[in-house]
Amino acid sequence: MFTSVLMIEKPLTPDDVDFVTTLHGDESVSFVVLLQPRGDQADVLLRAIDDVALGELKEAVHEGEEPEGSAAKAPAEVGLAHSVAALRAAGSPAEGEVVEDHPLDRLKAVVEEKGADEVIVLTAPHYVEEFFHRDWASRARHRVGVPVLKLFAHSE
């Protein structure tokens, strides 16, 4: 069975689940989902710039309200449970965890522990970070030792 580590920042939508579960055609794929809450990823200014670049002005105004730290853990656990359940309902074995600190260190450890075949980074566009190659996918490519695929998450 092919094993993919799936890094996400919000719960998977039905379109996301369909997208990642069909990437390898008829091959069986199991998933290890790592969710780091959006509020813990980058500073508020970078997230607001990304929102403005995407034309999501309402989102930019509310970036400061995004939960961070311990306030983000409970909603993240609910989102993770939803995502894992959706992958399982689609017929793929799945497990996951909320990553609170050092997501790339945890990603590397999970890839090694699970013998993963690939990493899929499924996030919203992060233009500033991507431009400077500081986004998850760019940084992971230099650390994990397996192919890293970057995909854009679907909106809800």
Side-chain angles (χ1 to χ4, degrees):
M1 180 171 290
F2 198 83
T3 302
S4 294
V5 178
L6 181 60
M7 289 193 73
I8 61 175
E9 61 189 359
K10 64 179 186 169
L12 297 173
T13 67
D15 288 335
D16 293 331
V17 171
D18 185 53
F19 194 33
V20 298
T21 58
T22 59
L23 279 174
H24 298 288
D26 293 333
E27 188 169 0
S28 296
V29 180
S30 67
F31 293 93
V32 180
V33 182
L34 301 179
L35 185 148
Q36 185 187 31
R38 180 170 159 86
D40 287 346
Q41 292 173 29
D43 69 31
V44 175
L45 179 60
L46 289 180
R47 292 193 320 254
I49 290 170
D50 286 337
D51 291 336
V52 170
L54 291 169
E56 297 174 354
L57 300 178
K58 283 184 181 180
E59 296 294 326
V61 170
H62 297 289
E63 279 297 345
E65 300 167 9
E66 192 78 37
E68 295 182 9
S70 60
K73 188 169 183 175
E77 287 175 345
V78 170
L80 176 65
H82 164 80
S83 299
V84 168
L87 289 166
R88 289 177 180 162
S92 294
E95 61 182 279
E97 67 183 74
V98 173
V99 178
E100 296 180 68
D101 296 312
H102 310 291
L104 293 174
D105 292 342
R106 186 63 191 136
L107 172 64
K108 182 177 181 179
V110 168
V111 166
E112 292 170 359
E113 291 166 11
K114 302 295 182 178
D117 298 293
E118 72 178 356
V119 170
I120 300 171
V121 177
L122 185 70
T123 68
H126 297 288
Y127 294 116
V128 175
E129 291 174 343
E130 288 170 25
F131 180 79
F132 292 107
H133 303 286
R134 300 302 301 154
D135 59 301
W136 279 349
S138 296
R139 292 168 46 203
R141 285 186 181 105
H142 302 287
R143 298 187 66 179
V144 297
V146 297
V148 176
L149 177 62
K150 179 174 184 156
L151 301 173
F152 290 121
H154 291 83
S155 297
E156 297 170 85

